[in-house]
Amino acid sequence: LILGFSLPVLLLLVIAITGLASSQQVNSSFAEVQEDSVPELVALDELRFASNRIAAASNELILEGVLGVEAGEEGDESELAEIETNTALYFASLATYRAFIEAGAEGEELELLSQIEVAGQELLDASNAMVNAQQQGASPEEIADLREDFEAVEDNLSDIATEAIEHEQEELIEREEDVADAVANARNIAIILSVVAIALTFAFALYLYQSIANPLQDLESTANQLREGNLQVRSGIQSTDEIGRVAQTFDTMAEQIGKTVNSLEEQIVETTRAKDAAQRSDQVKSAFLASMSHELRTPMNAVINFTKFVAKGDLGPVNEQQAETLEEVIDSAKHLLNLINDVLDMSKIESGSLRLFVDDNVDISALLETTISTGKGLLDGRTIDMQTDIAPDLPTIRGDRQRILQILLNIMSNACKFTDEGFVKTKAYQENGNVIVSVEDTGPGIASEDQPAVFEPFKQTSSGLRKGGGTGLGMPIAKNLTEAHGGRIWIESEPGKGATFYMSIPVRAEHLRATTVATQEAV
Amino acid sequence: MTAILYVEDDPRSRKVMNLLLRGSMGLSDVTILEDSEDFLKKVLALNPVPEVIFLDIHVAPHNGFEMLKMLKSNPTLKDIPVIALTASVMNEEIDQLQQAGFQGCLAKPIDADSFPEVLKRIQAGEVVWQIIN
């Protein structure tokens, strides 16, 4: 580009130098004209003037003699002095003229010079002859003859001098024409150079436009294609100028973007693959749970029901001891089924596949009745006062009937299992849009540091383990189910002072929508 | 007397229901099929027409859903209540049963004690989902 911009500057410099040279040529031509022609003309003019003066003085002298005028010695002498002076002037002029002619020798001019010399000598000779004749007192006839000769010579010289002057004037005109030509030449050269300079400048501007605008347009279109997602596109501009460097930087950047995008795409593919694998793993887990549920429940159907038919005497008489033993089998089988249910429920919760079957009108009072009656059945002869304080105006709530019953049964069975004497008190009331159920017992109580573990799966408290019942999953399941209903569950307890479990569930949980009008039945 | 049809591939489950329906409840119009071969033909041949149909889901060659579809697309059988009697009672499976158009589901193990009452409610047109034991 620097090279490009310096080109027009150089061109303008050439034009300036050429113009200067032309003007100098014109000046020197003028000087030549002045030095050559003007002094020559002056010398010739003086020469002609001197010869005229000689001729005039000579004539005067002769005329005085012819007319017989006695002018005396003084008159004659004045004419003679005039002749002498002008003769000197004549020779001086002639010498000057000769000097110029010989300097720039030209055939025609030399010829004229010699003619002038000859004619001038003849004039001087004729003048001398006339003066001598006059002074020697020649007859008028003789003088008239001499005068006739003199006039002829005089005319001759005058003609030659005039001719020389005319020649010099012609030369002057020629030289002036030369000067005019030189001026015209200089002007023409200036015009041509200017035109050439303009053309070159225009061509160069065009070149610059091509070399700047074209690559920029290419770069712009490349950038647009890149923006539209064509990551393979490159400007491909290889020049080493500023634009070339920008283009190469752009290409490098495009390369980097391409690499980054590719790496991101690879990561997305990998992430998607990992996500798919996780989903497949979830599906496998879910399918495994479903299959396990099915495979465990099918034999339990036979175990429980066949035992029941035998115990009831449907297949023949059984004695009391046998019937009792068979009932133990049934209870154990049901307990095993509960364990299975708990494990499966926990797996469902942990894999996030638990689904609520929401009913808009769950009668919580009825569920509490079932719960308390189930609790009484768990006492096995212990004398525990089952107290109730159920508000009469409990609303029906939105939720999964089976799951809410499951929560209440878990809380109740806990209280009944761990209480040896005293009471289990069930309270239920409505408060701030929630139904709150509390179950208070007079059992051993739970130390505050052990309380969080109650709601964590597979973390039974030491007393819980000693009691030997359950899976340790009942309360964690109850907690998850309560939270799935938008509610919460918590304990208030001190060791030795019993425990109170609370369940709070919104009457109308906004995130729940009735999924079915079906009735679910507990067994 | 209530006419009952039950389709079940597991022999022990068939025996449980046989003892329950014929033994405990003393029903005589009980048909128990061990597969779904020529299912519709066999159902249409039944006399009397069953009043309640219990279907296991994992049955060959046509599973419970396909049998339900056959029943529901037959004009003479489409109004008979069809109950799933299955050990597959995970929530997703319950969802599929509800969407397929079963009028209820009894989970295995069957609760023999409450079954007579449940059957009455089904006959009365109630939809019964007994899925937690």
Side-chain angles (χ1 to χ4, degrees):
Chain A
L1 280 183
I2 288 168
L3 198 79
F5 281 117
S6 50
L7 199 70
V9 173
L10 278 174
L11 210 62
L12 287 172
L13 212 63
V14 168
I15 292 166
I17 289 166
T18 314
L20 212 62
S22 298
S23 74
Q24 272 175 350
Q25 196 191 336
V26 170
N27 281 344
S28 70
S29 297
F30 268 121
E32 197 186 319
V33 168
Q34 283 174 343
E35 282 167 17
D36 280 12
S37 305
V38 175
E40 272 179 66
L41 278 171
V42 170
L44 276 174
D45 206 40
E46 277 178 357
L47 190 136
R48 195 167 60 173
F49 173 75
S51 54
N52 281 344
R53 291 307 298 166
I54 292 167
S58 301
N59 273 337
E60 218 172 302
L61 197 74
I62 298 306
L63 274 174
E64 280 170 11
V66 170
L67 293 175
V69 177
E70 287 300 325
E73 288 297 310
E74 286 166 23
D76 286 348
E77 274 172 23
S78 96
E79 268 86 41
L80 286 172
E82 177 84 12
I83 288 168
E84 206 171 319
T85 307
N86 284 299
T87 303
L89 182 62
Y90 167 79
F91 277 113
S93 318
L94 188 64
T96 308
Y97 180 60
R98 186 189 288 124
F100 279 110
I101 295 303
E102 282 171 354
E106 254 180 70
E108 201 183 344
E109 285 178 337
L110 285 173
E111 176 72 14
L112 281 167
L113 176 65
S114 63
Q115 281 179 11
I116 286 168
E117 279 176 334
V118 170
Q121 200 55 52
E122 278 176 357
L123 181 70
L124 289 175
D125 290 348
S127 172
N128 281 339
M130 272 205 307
V131 170
N132 287 339
Q134 174 71 15
Q135 283 172 345
Q136 287 160 13
S139 66
E141 290 79 16
E142 282 173 333
I143 288 169
D145 285 346
L146 284 171
R147 205 184 154 206
E148 225 167 275
D149 290 345
F150 179 78
E151 279 174 356
V153 168
E154 188 199 343
D155 287 347
N156 186 32
L157 179 62
S158 183
D159 288 349
I160 291 165
T162 304
E163 196 183 327
I165 285 169
E166 279 171 359
H167 176 75
E168 283 304 325
Q169 280 173 341
E170 274 170 20
E171 263 193 359
L172 186 64
I173 287 163
E174 272 174 28
R175 281 176 181 145
E176 278 172 355
E177 278 170 359
D178 283 350
V179 169
D181 283 352
V183 169
N185 273 348
R187 193 189 58 209
N188 287 345
I189 287 167
I191 287 169
I192 288 163
L193 280 176
S194 297
V195 168
V196 168
I198 288 166
L200 279 175
T201 306
F202 183 73
F204 180 69
L206 206 65
Y207 166 75
L208 274 186
Y209 176 76
Q210 296 278 321
S211 66
I212 292 171
N214 281 355
L216 279 179
Q217 278 167 1
D218 286 353
L219 198 56
E220 189 196 2
S221 109
T222 308
N224 279 332
Q225 287 181 56
L226 187 72
R227 180 174 54 78
E228 282 156 13
N230 181 0
L231 298 173
Q232 267 66 53
V233 77
R234 300 287 181 270
S235 74
I237 298 167
Q238 293 296 336
S239 58
T240 53
D241 59 13
E242 291 84 347
I243 290 167
R245 288 201 295 277
V246 169
Q248 280 145 31
T249 306
F250 178 85
D251 284 355
T252 311
M253 186 187 75
E255 188 80 31
Q256 283 296 329
I257 290 172
K259 280 181 187 166
T260 308
V261 168
N262 280 342
S263 132
L264 281 175
E265 277 171 354
E266 276 169 24
Q267 281 173 25
I268 288 169
V269 167
E270 244 169 66
T271 310
T272 309
R273 199 179 293 142
K275 196 181 148 209
D276 288 350
Q279 272 178 352
R280 269 199 304 279
S281 163
D282 270 359
Q283 283 165 3
V284 167
K285 194 176 174 186
S286 201
F288 172 76
L289 285 175
S291 167
M292 191 152 107
S293 170
H294 179 262
E295 295 306 319
L296 288 167
R297 281 171 173 272
T298 303
M300 289 307 285
N301 189 30
V303 169
I304 290 170
N305 285 305
F306 286 150
T307 312
K308 196 171 277 177
F309 294 136
V310 175
K312 278 166 68 185
D314 286 0
L315 302 174
V318 286
N319 64 35
E320 199 178 325
Q321 201 185 354
Q322 288 168 331
E324 275 176 20
T325 311
L326 289 173
E327 285 299 332
E328 296 280 359
V329 174
I330 292 168
D331 286 347
S332 298
K334 282 187 174 172
H335 181 68
L336 179 58
L337 186 63
N338 286 334
L339 289 178
I340 293 164
N341 286 339
D342 277 359
V343 169
L344 294 179
D345 271 342
M346 204 62 225
S347 299
K348 281 186 218 170
I349 287 163
E350 295 215 318
S351 67
S353 62
L354 180 88
R355 189 177 297 175
L356 299 179
F357 293 89
V358 178
D359 189 326
D360 267 338
N361 298 297
V362 176
D363 181 355
I364 197 118
S365 303
L367 294 182
L368 283 168
E369 236 169 82
T370 311
T371 305
I372 291 157
S373 104
T374 308
K376 282 175 182 166
L378 294 169
L379 296 178
D380 285 335
R382 278 170 285 153
T383 39
I384 290 164
D385 187 10
M386 296 295 280
Q387 302 175 5
T388 54
D389 181 7
I390 315 285
D393 57 345
L394 279 183
T396 57
I397 64 171
R398 178 187 290 164
D400 184 324
R401 189 191 319 273
Q402 287 299 320
R403 296 303 187 180
I404 292 170
L405 179 62
Q406 198 179 346
I407 298 162
L408 295 173
L409 284 172
N410 278 331
I411 294 173
M412 181 58 74
S413 68
N414 243 31
C416 293
K417 240 189 273 176
F418 290 104
T419 306
D420 291 329
E421 52 182 7
F423 63 87
V424 171
K425 184 178 182 180
T426 306
K427 275 178 75 176
Y429 52 96
Q430 187 180 358
E431 188 180 276
N432 298 329
N434 294 307
V435 167
I436 297 169
V437 177
S438 70
V439 179
E440 184 185 355
D441 65 49
T442 51
I446 304 162
S448 56
E449 64 266 26
D450 287 335
Q451 288 174 12
V454 170
F455 298 108
E456 284 176 44
F458 308 110
K459 282 194 176 171
Q460 275 187 310
T461 59
S462 49
S463 61
L465 284 168
R466 207 167 47 244
K467 285 278 177 186
T471 54
L473 292 172
M475 292 316 290
I477 290 169
K479 180 178 191 278
N480 275 290
L481 294 176
T482 309
E483 285 169 359
H485 280 86
R488 66 189 191 99
I489 195 167
W490 70 99
I491 315 171
E492 285 176 5
S493 179
E494 275 178 51
K497 291 186 178 176
T500 308
F501 280 77
Y502 292 87
M503 178 202 78
S504 170
I505 286 183
V507 174
R508 286 281 173 272
E510 281 303 314
H511 70 289
L512 297 179
R513 286 286 174 272
T515 48
T516 172
V517 293
T519 312
Q520 292 181 21
E521 291 295 319
V523 174
Chain B
M1 293 296 259
T2 309
I4 305 269
L5 170 66
Y6 177 41
V7 184
E8 172 64 77
D9 67 334
D10 174 45
R12 294 198 179 93
S13 294
R14 286 201 298 274
K15 197 170 175 185
V16 166
M17 282 300 275
N18 193 39
L19 285 168
L20 177 60
L21 297 169
R22 287 207 172 92
S24 298
M25 296 175 70
L27 300 177
S28 51
D29 293 324
V30 176
T31 309
I32 300 179
L33 300 175
E34 59 179 76
D35 59 47
S36 50
E37 196 78 57
D38 296 326
F39 175 67
L40 208 57
K41 209 170 124 187
K42 288 176 185 169
V43 177
L44 288 168
L46 288 176
N47 186 22
V49 177
E51 290 165 58
V52 180
I53 298 173
F54 294 99
L55 298 179
D56 184 27
I57 299 302
H58 303 275
V59 178
H62 308 292
N63 67 25
F65 295 106
E66 290 164 348
M67 287 188 280
L68 177 71
K69 218 171 186 179
M70 291 180 202
L71 294 169
K72 291 299 164 193
S73 50
N74 186 291
T76 59
L77 305 172
K78 65 177 171 50
D79 295 325
I80 303 170
V82 182
I83 312 297
L85 206 163
T86 176
S88 298
V89 286
M90 298 288 278
N91 289 327
E92 310 78 48
E93 296 164 316
I94 297 297
D95 208 29
Q96 286 176 351
L97 296 174
Q98 289 179 334
Q99 288 185 4
F102 282 98
Q103 278 113 305
C105 171
L106 303 185
K108 292 177 194 170
I110 294 296
D111 181 32
D113 297 338
S114 66
F115 186 84
E117 180 63 25
V118 167
L119 184 60
K120 275 185 197 161
R121 282 159 55 193
I122 290 167
Q123 283 183 288
E126 197 174 321
V127 177
V128 178
W129 295 87
Q130 194 177 57
I131 53 175
I132 295 177
N133 300 82

